[in-house]
Amino acid sequence: MEKFYFELKHVCKQSGARYGILHTPHGDVETPMFMPVGTLATVKYLSPEELYEMGSQVILANTYHLWLRPGEDVVSNAGGLHKFMNYKKPMLTDSGGFQVFSMSKTRKIDEEGVHFKNHLDGSPLFLTPEKSIEIQNKLGADIIMSFDECPPYPCDYKYMKDSVERTLRWAERGKKAHQNPNQALFGIVQGGDYEDLRKLSATSLANMDFDGYSIGGTSVGEDKETMYRMIEYAIKYLPSDKPRYLMGVGSYDSIIEGVLRGVDMFDCVLPTRIARHGALMTSQGRVNIRDKKYEYDLSPLDPKCNCYTCRNYTKSYLRHLYKCDEGFGKRLLSIHNINFLLKLTKDIREAIKEDRFLDFKNEFFEKYGLNVKNPRGF
């Protein structure tokens, strides 16, 4: 694709972490990056203009949910996701595979695709690799995902092997079905905690020559050391000249550890989800705004943060909004958490370019009270 390519600009001499530029039809973006999740063509409680102010680059939308509401034809009629939701920077859609994983009690997987029930009304649905790509072609994001099965953790070897082989066949079918030349298509590496299966998945997808590669099957119940092994098992077999995307991971420690292992892109609903429950990422560690000790606290949420929330509102007021379940409070807390991760990845990029990423990691973990060898962050 002439409109989409990855340019590796610098490799940190201290750590091997990567800094790059992702060229897309809707502009160039820098990696490593965190991508806010806008499941239903909106990042919950935030406007595109607020995302721009925070330095957001790529955001995600969800194929499964948009297929049900409002339908891919409605989005296509508006000119695609960018025009539909008025987001002017690059976008990415997932394939619906993870949603199928989350509906394990009602799904049935066969060679053709997955049968499951609509979570809204219980009606039967059937999603195939071809249908997933067709929906994503109509949604029109810059980056789209192959349809895969995301097996549970733990998972026995035979099931995982069969799943990986089927997902590879689905990847081939999806690649053949892909009809929009303005969209980059990523393959998704699976294989659980089995090194040989991660190798099989990664090398097979690399031979299919996708525009980029995602590492899936992580953050599904495994501990973090297992997740880091999964990344390592996969990433050494992926092309260095293509972007690498770790799906569904957004805690600050996991982002740093992922970058150290060669990951370029991250996404997660974590920052907005925990914000709605009153949990905040700050330069002083985790803050639970619901705590009574903040009732009379007139200081900003984070004195070292320059986001809209911290510039304008106190902990006392934010606690009041949270306790009253006000939508404005959820919006302010979400702004702060997303800004925190966007600022973190900006700082990571600077550390890589200056060949000091290991120092950055060690300083960050020490500051947040994390064990460098066995971190336990958000």
Side-chain angles (χ1 to χ4, degrees):
M1 285 183 60
E2 292 183 2
K3 295 183 179 180
F4 182 96
Y5 66 97
F6 178 69
E7 189 177 5
L8 182 59
K9 300 291 286 187
H10 185 75
V11 176
C12 176
K13 295 181 177 63
Q14 189 185 60
S15 65
R18 296 148 51 100
Y19 166 75
I21 304 290
L22 201 58
H23 302 273
T24 83
H26 285 89
D28 298 343
V29 293
E30 296 178 283
T31 64
M33 75 168 93
F34 175 76
M35 304 179 289
V37 176
T39 302
L40 285 161
T42 179
V43 177
K44 285 188 184 299
Y45 294 104
L46 274 66
S47 71
E49 290 73 23
E50 287 164 332
L51 291 166
Y52 302 150
E53 181 183 345
M54 290 185 280
S56 175
Q57 301 187 99
V58 180
I59 65 170
L60 273 70
N62 184 276
T63 294
Y64 165 75
H65 288 286
L66 292 175
W67 178 33
L68 301 187
R69 294 182 299 182
E72 66 274 22
D73 290 333
V74 173
V75 176
S76 179
N77 179 67
L81 274 172
H82 295 86
K83 292 183 179 179
F84 186 58
M85 64 178 291
N86 194 31
Y87 190 75
K88 296 178 173 61
K89 292 188 177 184
M91 293 192 67
L92 181 153
T93 48
D94 64 7
S95 67
F98 184 79
Q99 283 64 47
V100 170
F101 159 78
S102 67
M103 298 174 188
S104 57
K105 292 181 180 179
T106 63
R107 73 180 183 198
K108 179 182 177 183
I109 302 173
D110 59 33
E111 185 63 28
E112 285 306 303
V114 184
H115 301 264
F116 56 105
K117 291 183 179 180
N118 184 327
H119 75 284
L120 299 173
D121 61 15
S123 61
L125 295 171
F126 183 48
L127 191 58
T128 67
E130 293 82 2
K131 182 63 177 178
S132 174
I133 295 297
E134 176 191 339
I135 296 166
Q136 293 183 82
N137 284 166
K138 290 184 177 180
L139 295 175
D142 302 83
I143 304 169
I144 67 175
M145 297 294 120
S146 299
F147 186 62
D148 66 322
E149 180 192 358
C150 180
Y153 179 87
C155 181
D156 69 69
Y157 185 86
K158 183 181 186 308
Y159 184 96
M160 183 62 74
K161 185 173 185 293
D162 290 343
S163 174
V164 165
E165 290 173 347
R166 181 172 53 239
T167 288
L168 289 172
R169 293 191 292 272
W170 285 359
E172 284 189 295
R173 286 167 52 186
K175 198 166 189 292
K176 290 178 181 176
H178 183 33
Q179 296 295 320
N180 189 336
N182 294 318
Q183 293 177 299
L185 176 60
F186 282 29
I188 302 179
V189 179
Q190 292 289 353
D193 193 25
Y194 300 103
E195 184 169 8
D196 62 326
L197 297 182
R198 287 280 176 182
K199 178 181 178 181
L200 170 66
S201 181
T203 54
S204 299
L205 291 170
N207 287 336
M208 295 181 204
D209 192 28
F210 283 91
D211 299 305
Y213 299 89
S214 305
I215 300 171
T218 60
S219 198
V220 292
E222 79 282 3
D223 61 82
K224 292 200 173 185
E225 291 305 312
T226 300
M227 180 177 72
Y228 300 149
R229 282 200 306 273
M230 292 177 177
I231 298 170
E232 291 166 359
Y233 290 162
I235 214 156
K236 59 186 174 182
Y237 300 109
L238 296 176
S240 61
D241 62 342
K242 299 286 182 72
R244 303 155 173 175
Y245 163 30
L246 182 60
M247 305 179 77
V249 173
S251 65
Y252 42 61
D253 55 320
S254 296
I255 289 175
I256 290 172
E257 292 287 355
V259 169
L260 184 63
R261 289 162 172 79
V263 176
D264 306 302
M265 304 162 64
F266 303 83
D267 85 282
C268 196
V269 297
L270 177 77
T272 50
R273 177 173 289 169
I274 66 173
R276 296 195 297 276
H277 294 281
L280 290 310
M281 305 173 181
T282 80
S283 64
Q284 299 173 322
R286 180 175 179 139
V287 167
N288 291 313
I289 202 64
R290 59 185 176 272
D291 290 354
K292 188 170 179 58
K293 65 182 178 180
Y294 300 121
E295 186 174 9
Y296 292 93
D297 191 334
L298 300 180
S299 66
L301 179 59
D302 186 344
K304 294 186 178 180
C305 178
N306 196 41
C307 77
Y308 174 80
T309 302
C310 293
R311 292 197 312 267
N312 293 285
Y313 299 98
T314 66
K315 292 190 186 82
S316 178
Y317 182 62
L318 293 171
R319 181 180 184 273
H320 159 68
L321 293 177
Y322 176 80
K323 297 291 284 186
C324 296
D325 197 29
E326 283 289 340
F328 184 49
K330 295 176 182 179
R331 194 159 79 82
L332 291 175
L333 298 179
S334 296
I335 286 172
H336 172 79
N337 271 357
I338 289 181
N339 184 82
F340 184 92
L341 291 184
L342 293 174
K343 175 66 163 55
L344 171 64
T345 47
K346 181 180 179 182
D347 291 344
I348 286 172
R349 293 192 295 268
E350 292 305 309
I352 292 172
K353 288 188 282 185
E354 295 170 5
D355 296 312
R356 56 177 181 85
F357 180 65
L358 280 183
D359 292 339
F360 174 88
K361 174 197 169 183
N362 292 337
E363 290 167 6
F364 186 96
F365 277 34
E366 182 178 357
K367 180 179 178 182
Y368 285 84
L370 300 171
N371 185 317
V372 172
K373 293 185 179 179
N374 190 25
R376 291 291 179 267
F378 256 102

Coordinates of all heavy atoms in Angstrom, one line a residue, residues 154-201:
P154 N -6.3 -20.7 31.0 CA -5.4 -21.6 30.3 C -6.2 -22.4 29.2 O -7.4 -22.5 29.3 CB -4.8 -22.5 31.4 CG -5.9 -22.5 32.4 CD -6.6 -21.2 32.4
C155 N -5.4 -23.0 28.3 CA -6.0 -23.8 27.2 C -5.1 -24.9 26.9 O -3.9 -24.8 26.8 CB -6.2 -22.9 26.0 SG -6.9 -23.6 24.6
D156 N -5.6 -26.1 26.7 CA -4.8 -27.3 26.5 C -4.2 -27.2 25.1 O -4.7 -26.5 24.2 CB -5.5 -28.6 26.7 CG -6.6 -28.9 25.6 OD1 -6.3 -29.1 24.5 OD2 -7.8 -28.8 26.0
Y157 N -3.1 -27.9 24.9 CA -2.3 -27.8 23.7 C -3.1 -28.2 22.4 O -3.0 -27.5 21.4 CB -1.0 -28.7 23.8 CG -0.1 -28.5 22.7 CD1 0.9 -27.5 22.6 CD2 -0.1 -29.4 21.5 CE1 1.8 -27.4 21.6 CE2 0.7 -29.2 20.5 CZ 1.7 -28.2 20.5 OH 2.5 -28.1 19.4
K158 N -3.8 -29.3 22.5 CA -4.5 -29.7 21.3 C -5.5 -28.7 20.8 O -5.6 -28.4 19.6 CB -5.2 -31.1 21.5 CG -5.9 -31.6 20.3 CD -6.6 -32.9 20.5 CE -7.2 -33.5 19.2 NZ -8.0 -32.5 18.4
Y159 N -6.3 -28.1 21.8 CA -7.3 -27.1 21.4 C -6.6 -25.9 20.8 O -7.0 -25.4 19.8 CB -8.2 -26.7 22.6 CG -9.3 -25.7 22.2 CD1 -10.5 -26.2 21.9 CD2 -9.0 -24.4 22.0 CE1 -11.6 -25.4 21.5 CE2 -10.0 -23.5 21.6 CZ -11.3 -24.0 21.4 OH -12.3 -23.1 21.0
M160 N -5.5 -25.5 21.5 CA -4.8 -24.3 21.0 C -4.2 -24.5 19.6 O -4.3 -23.6 18.7 CB -3.7 -23.9 22.0 CG -3.0 -22.6 21.6 SD -4.0 -21.2 21.6 CE -4.2 -20.9 23.3
K161 N -3.7 -25.7 19.3 CA -3.1 -26.0 18.0 C -4.2 -26.0 17.0 O -4.0 -25.4 15.9 CB -2.4 -27.3 18.0 CG -1.7 -27.7 16.7 CD -0.9 -29.0 16.9 CE 0.0 -29.3 15.7 NZ -0.9 -29.6 14.5
D162 N -5.3 -26.6 17.2 CA -6.4 -26.6 16.3 C -6.9 -25.2 16.0 O -7.2 -24.8 14.9 CB -7.5 -27.5 16.8 CG -7.2 -29.0 16.8 OD1 -6.2 -29.4 16.1 OD2 -7.9 -29.7 17.4
S163 N -7.0 -24.4 17.1 CA -7.5 -23.0 17.0 C -6.5 -22.2 16.1 O -6.9 -21.4 15.3 CB -7.6 -22.4 18.4 OG -7.9 -21.0 18.3
V164 N -5.2 -22.3 16.4 CA -4.2 -21.5 15.6 C -4.3 -21.9 14.2 O -4.3 -21.0 13.3 CB -2.8 -21.8 16.2 CG1 -1.7 -21.3 15.2 CG2 -2.6 -21.1 17.5
E165 N -4.3 -23.2 13.8 CA -4.4 -23.6 12.4 C -5.6 -23.1 11.7 O -5.6 -22.6 10.6 CB -4.3 -25.1 12.4 CG -2.9 -25.6 12.8 CD -2.8 -27.1 12.8 OE1 -3.9 -27.8 12.8 OE2 -1.7 -27.6 12.9
R166 N -6.8 -23.1 12.5 CA -8.0 -22.6 11.9 C -7.9 -21.0 11.7 O -8.3 -20.5 10.7 CB -9.2 -22.9 12.8 CG -10.6 -22.4 12.2 CD -11.7 -23.0 13.0 NE -11.6 -22.7 14.4 CZ -11.5 -23.7 15.3 NH1 -11.7 -25.0 15.0 NH2 -11.4 -23.4 16.6
T167 N -7.4 -20.4 12.7 CA -7.2 -18.9 12.6 C -6.3 -18.5 11.4 O -6.6 -17.5 10.7 CB -6.7 -18.3 13.9 OG1 -7.7 -18.4 14.9 CG2 -6.2 -16.9 13.7
L168 N -5.3 -19.3 11.1 CA -4.5 -19.1 10.0 C -5.2 -19.2 8.7 O -5.1 -18.5 7.7 CB -3.2 -20.0 10.0 CG -2.2 -19.7 11.1 CD1 -1.1 -20.8 11.1 CD2 -1.5 -18.3 10.8
R169 N -6.1 -20.3 8.6 CA -6.9 -20.4 7.4 C -7.9 -19.3 7.3 O -8.1 -18.8 6.2 CB -7.7 -21.8 7.5 CG -6.8 -23.0 7.4 CD -7.5 -24.3 7.2 NE -8.4 -24.7 8.4 CZ -7.9 -25.4 9.4 NH1 -6.7 -25.8 9.4 NH2 -8.8 -25.7 10.4
W170 N -8.4 -18.8 8.4 CA -9.3 -17.7 8.4 C -8.6 -16.4 7.9 O -9.1 -15.6 7.2 CB -9.9 -17.4 9.8 CG -11.0 -18.4 10.2 CD1 -11.5 -19.4 9.4 CD2 -11.7 -18.4 11.4 NE1 -12.5 -20.1 10.1 CE2 -12.6 -19.5 11.4 CE3 -11.6 -17.6 12.6 CZ2 -13.5 -19.8 12.4 CZ3 -12.5 -17.9 13.6 CH2 -13.4 -19.0 13.6
A171 N -7.3 -16.3 8.3 CA -6.5 -15.1 7.9 C -6.4 -15.1 6.4 O -6.5 -14.0 5.7 CB -5.2 -15.1 8.6
E172 N -6.1 -16.3 5.8 CA -6.0 -16.3 4.3 C -7.3 -16.0 3.6 O -7.3 -15.2 2.7 CB -5.6 -17.8 3.9 CG -4.1 -18.1 4.2 CD -3.7 -19.4 3.6 OE1 -4.2 -20.4 4.0 OE2 -2.9 -19.4 2.6
R173 N -8.4 -16.5 4.2 CA -9.7 -16.2 3.6 C -10.0 -14.7 3.7 O -10.5 -14.1 2.8 CB -10.8 -17.0 4.3 CG -10.8 -18.5 3.9 CD -11.6 -19.3 4.8 NE -13.0 -18.8 5.0 CZ -13.9 -19.3 5.9 NH1 -13.5 -20.3 6.7 NH2 -15.1 -18.8 5.9
G174 N -9.7 -14.1 4.8 CA -10.0 -12.7 5.0 C -9.1 -11.8 4.1 O -9.6 -10.8 3.6
K175 N -7.9 -12.2 3.9 CA -7.0 -11.5 3.0 C -7.5 -11.5 1.6 O -7.5 -10.5 0.9 CB -5.6 -12.0 3.1 CG -4.5 -11.1 2.6 CD -3.1 -11.6 3.0 CE -2.0 -10.6 2.7 NZ -1.8 -10.4 1.2
K176 N -8.0 -12.6 1.2 CA -8.6 -12.7 -0.2 C -9.9 -11.9 -0.3 O -10.2 -11.4 -1.4 CB -8.9 -14.2 -0.5 CG -7.7 -15.0 -0.7 CD -8.0 -16.5 -1.0 CE -6.8 -17.4 -1.2 NZ -7.1 -18.8 -1.3
A177 N -10.6 -11.8 0.8 CA -11.9 -11.0 0.7 C -11.7 -9.5 0.8 O -12.6 -8.8 0.5 CB -12.8 -11.5 1.9
H178 N -10.5 -9.1 1.2 CA -10.3 -7.6 1.5 C -10.4 -6.9 0.2 O -9.6 -7.1 -0.8 CB -8.9 -7.5 2.1 CG -8.5 -6.1 2.4 ND1 -9.4 -5.2 2.9 CD2 -7.3 -5.5 2.4 CE1 -8.8 -4.0 3.1 NE2 -7.5 -4.2 2.9
Q179 N -11.3 -5.9 0.1 CA -11.6 -5.2 -1.1 C -11.3 -3.7 -1.1 O -11.5 -3.0 -2.1 CB -13.1 -5.3 -1.5 CG -13.4 -6.8 -1.7 CD -12.8 -7.3 -3.0 OE1 -12.7 -6.6 -4.0 NE2 -12.3 -8.6 -2.9
N180 N -10.8 -3.1 0.0 CA -10.6 -1.7 0.1 C -9.1 -1.4 0.1 O -8.4 -1.6 1.1 CB -11.3 -1.1 1.4 CG -11.3 0.4 1.4 OD1 -10.5 1.1 0.8 ND2 -12.2 1.0 2.1
P181 N -8.6 -0.9 -1.0 CA -7.1 -0.7 -1.1 C -6.6 0.5 -0.2 O -5.4 0.6 -0.1 CB -6.9 -0.3 -2.6 CG -8.3 0.3 -3.0 CD -9.3 -0.5 -2.2
N182 N -7.5 1.3 0.4 CA -7.1 2.3 1.3 C -7.0 1.9 2.7 O -6.7 2.7 3.6 CB -8.1 3.5 1.2 CG -8.1 4.2 -0.2 OD1 -7.0 4.4 -0.8 ND2 -9.2 4.5 -0.7
Q183 N -7.2 0.6 3.0 CA -7.1 0.1 4.3 C -6.0 -0.9 4.5 O -5.8 -1.8 3.6 CB -8.4 -0.6 4.7 CG -9.7 0.3 4.8 CD -10.9 -0.5 5.1 OE1 -11.3 -1.3 4.3 NE2 -11.5 -0.2 6.2
A184 N -5.2 -0.8 5.6 CA -4.2 -1.7 5.9 C -4.8 -2.9 6.7 O -5.6 -2.7 7.6 CB -3.1 -1.1 6.7
L185 N -4.4 -4.1 6.3 CA -5.0 -5.3 7.0 C -3.9 -6.0 7.8 O -2.8 -6.3 7.3 CB -5.5 -6.3 6.0 CG -6.0 -7.6 6.5 CD1 -7.2 -7.5 7.5 CD2 -6.4 -8.5 5.3
F186 N -4.2 -6.2 9.1 CA -3.2 -6.8 10.0 C -3.6 -8.3 10.3 O -4.8 -8.6 10.4 CB -3.2 -6.1 11.4 CG -2.4 -4.8 11.4 CD1 -2.3 -4.0 10.3 CD2 -1.8 -4.4 12.6 CE1 -1.6 -2.8 10.4 CE2 -1.1 -3.2 12.7 CZ -1.0 -2.4 11.6
G187 N -2.6 -9.1 10.4 CA -2.8 -10.5 10.8 C -2.7 -10.5 12.3 O -2.0 -9.7 12.9
I188 N -3.3 -11.5 13.0 CA -3.3 -11.6 14.4 C -2.6 -12.9 14.9 O -3.1 -14.0 14.5 CB -4.7 -11.5 15.0 CG1 -5.4 -10.2 14.6 CG2 -4.7 -11.7 16.5 CD1 -6.8 -10.1 15.1
V189 N -1.5 -12.8 15.6 CA -0.8 -13.9 16.1 C -1.5 -14.5 17.4 O -1.7 -13.7 18.3 CB 0.7 -13.5 16.5 CG1 1.4 -14.7 17.0 CG2 1.4 -12.9 15.3
Q190 N -1.8 -15.8 17.4 CA -2.3 -16.5 18.5 C -1.3 -17.6 18.9 O -0.2 -17.7 18.4 CB -3.7 -17.0 18.2 CG -4.8 -16.0 18.0 CD -5.1 -15.3 19.3 OE1 -4.7 -15.6 20.4 NE2 -6.0 -14.2 19.2
G191 N -1.7 -18.4 19.9 CA -0.9 -19.5 20.3 C -0.7 -19.6 21.8 O 0.0 -20.5 22.3
G192 N -1.4 -18.8 22.5 CA -1.3 -18.9 24.0 C 0.1 -18.8 24.5 O 0.9 -18.1 24.1
D193 N 0.4 -19.7 25.5 CA 1.7 -19.7 26.2 C 2.5 -20.8 25.6 O 3.4 -21.3 26.3 CB 1.5 -19.9 27.7 CG 2.8 -19.6 28.5 OD1 3.6 -18.9 27.9 OD2 2.9 -20.1 29.6
Y194 N 2.3 -21.3 24.4 CA 3.0 -22.3 23.7 C 4.0 -21.7 22.7 O 3.5 -21.2 21.7 CB 2.1 -23.3 23.1 CG 1.1 -24.0 24.1 CD1 -0.2 -23.6 24.1 CD2 1.6 -25.0 24.9 CE1 -1.1 -24.2 25.0 CE2 0.7 -25.6 25.8 CZ -0.6 -25.2 25.9 OH -1.4 -25.8 26.8
E195 N 5.2 -21.8 23.0 CA 6.2 -21.1 22.1 C 6.2 -21.6 20.7 O 6.2 -20.8 19.7 CB 7.6 -21.3 22.7 CG 8.7 -20.5 21.9 CD 10.0 -20.4 22.5 OE1 10.2 -21.1 23.5 OE2 10.9 -19.7 22.0
D196 N 6.0 -22.9 20.5 CA 6.0 -23.5 19.1 C 4.8 -23.0 18.3 O 4.9 -22.8 17.1 CB 6.1 -25.0 19.1 CG 5.0 -25.7 19.8 OD1 4.5 -25.1 20.8 OD2 4.6 -26.8 19.4
L197 N 3.7 -22.8 19.1 CA 2.5 -22.4 18.4 C 2.5 -20.9 18.1 O 2.0 -20.5 17.0 CB 1.2 -22.7 19.2 CG 1.0 -24.2 19.4 CD1 -0.3 -24.4 20.2 CD2 0.9 -25.0 18.1
R198 N 3.1 -20.1 18.9 CA 3.3 -18.7 18.6 C 4.2 -18.6 17.4 O 4.0 -17.7 16.5 CB 3.9 -18.0 19.8 CG 2.9 -17.7 21.0 CD 2.1 -16.5 20.7 NE 1.1 -16.4 21.8 CZ 0.1 -15.4 21.8 NH1 0.0 -14.6 20.8 NH2 -0.8 -15.3 22.7
K199 N 5.3 -19.4 17.4 CA 6.2 -19.4 16.2 C 5.4 -19.7 14.9 O 5.6 -19.1 13.9 CB 7.3 -20.3 16.4 CG 8.3 -20.4 15.3 CD 9.4 -21.4 15.5 CE 10.4 -21.5 14.3 NZ 11.5 -22.4 14.6
L200 N 4.6 -20.8 15.0 CA 3.9 -21.2 13.8 C 3.0 -20.1 13.3 O 2.9 -19.8 12.1 CB 3.0 -22.5 14.2 CG 2.0 -22.9 13.2 CD1 2.7 -23.4 11.9 CD2 1.1 -24.0 13.7
S201 N 2.2 -19.5 14.3 CA 1.3 -18.5 13.9 C 2.0 -17.3 13.3 O 1.6 -16.7 12.3 CB 0.5 -18.0 15.2 OG -0.4 -17.0 14.9

